[in-house]
Amino acid sequence: MNDTVYFDPACDDDERRRRLFEGQLFVYAPRPSSLAFVEFTRKLVEDAFAPLDPRTAQYHMPVDEYAQLLGKLKPSFIHHPESKRHIQRMLNEFGCDLDTTYFDVPKLRSSTSDEYLTSGIAYAWHPHRDTWYSAPPCQINWWFPVYEITSDNAMAFHPRYFKEGVANTSAGYNYYLWNQQFRGAQVASITKSDPRPLPKPTQPVEMNPQIRLVVPPGSLIMFSGAQLHSSVPNTSGVTRFSIDFRLVNSEDARAQRGAPNVDAQCTGTTMRDYLRGSDLSHVPEEIIKMYDDETAQQGGMLYQPTTA
Ligand SMILES: [Fe+2]
């Protein structure tokens, strides 16, 4: 099968999702809504690091202090009401139906240069699929950089594995248990080797050939949550900041459409986390049930998702 990168195609969102589920990638030039989100994010990031330049602050701060700063900055971005509004505007401008499109709160990522901080709050991602972390097969990821990126601080896709399974440890991952144990402030205190049992490959992964898409700030990369992807080891000399969020279309979820599951064995589901584009309501209970398993109730504990 070929690997296609579509640039600013004319197709609608239904067609786009269908192609994403086949493993294709989509790139869009910056639009007013994504640029506005970038501008909002830069202000938050720059205020947090002031008077330092966020891209080079890593050279002027002890790593513990840096991680603590990110430990405050990232949640404030994630839960900022304005962040959700920016997503809603983007969904609209990029052709999604706000009544059937649900989104998870956006994440602000940072990738520091030269292995300054690659664990905890700024984890340098080994090759993984989001479906190893309880994402449903219909999840689609939107990713865009906040500042200019280069090939040596981008993200990488490994599309040959879209249809080919990779032996991995996802069987040991339960979404609810994970959130109980690791969600929250303590992640900011991890600055050396990362003790969290993140699902990862247990076989050698052929990292090359790989695709790195170097796009300007506010330019959007869309990919299936089942796509194998990783952080490029950052040797650029500057910290990369990027935004990403995940989408689920309720009609896809209901019809159980999505990317093929070639190797994910995790339990639990992220389905409770997505909020509807139009009114921030949760995915209907009957759909959640289709993706959930008995682990949601285990030990009398019921997972509490992020609220609108
Ligand atoms: Fe990911």
Side-chain angles (χ1 to χ4, degrees), residues 109 125-126 128-131 133 139 141 143 155 223 225 227 229-230 244 246:
R109 314 266 180 197
W125 279 96
H126 55 264
H128 71 282
R129 310 181 202 275
D130 286 17
T131 48
Y133 293 76
Q139 182 184 289
N141 295 21
W143 185 100
M155 64 176 294
F223 57 101
Q227 192 75 252
H229 57 288
S230 62
D244 58 84
R246 298 91 183 270

Side-chain angles (χ1 to χ4, degrees), residues 158-174:
H158 312 281
R160 71 161 270 198
Y161 291 105
F162 189 74
K163 293 232 165 95
E164 187 184 321
V166 175
N168 67 82
T169 59
S170 64
Y173 181 89
N174 174 258

Side-chain angles (χ1 to χ4, degrees), residues 165-182:
V166 175
N168 67 82
T169 59
S170 64
Y173 181 89
N174 174 258
Y175 189 59
Y176 314 122
L177 214 53
W178 178 270
N179 274 283
Q180 254 188 351
Q181 291 174 330
F182 299 109

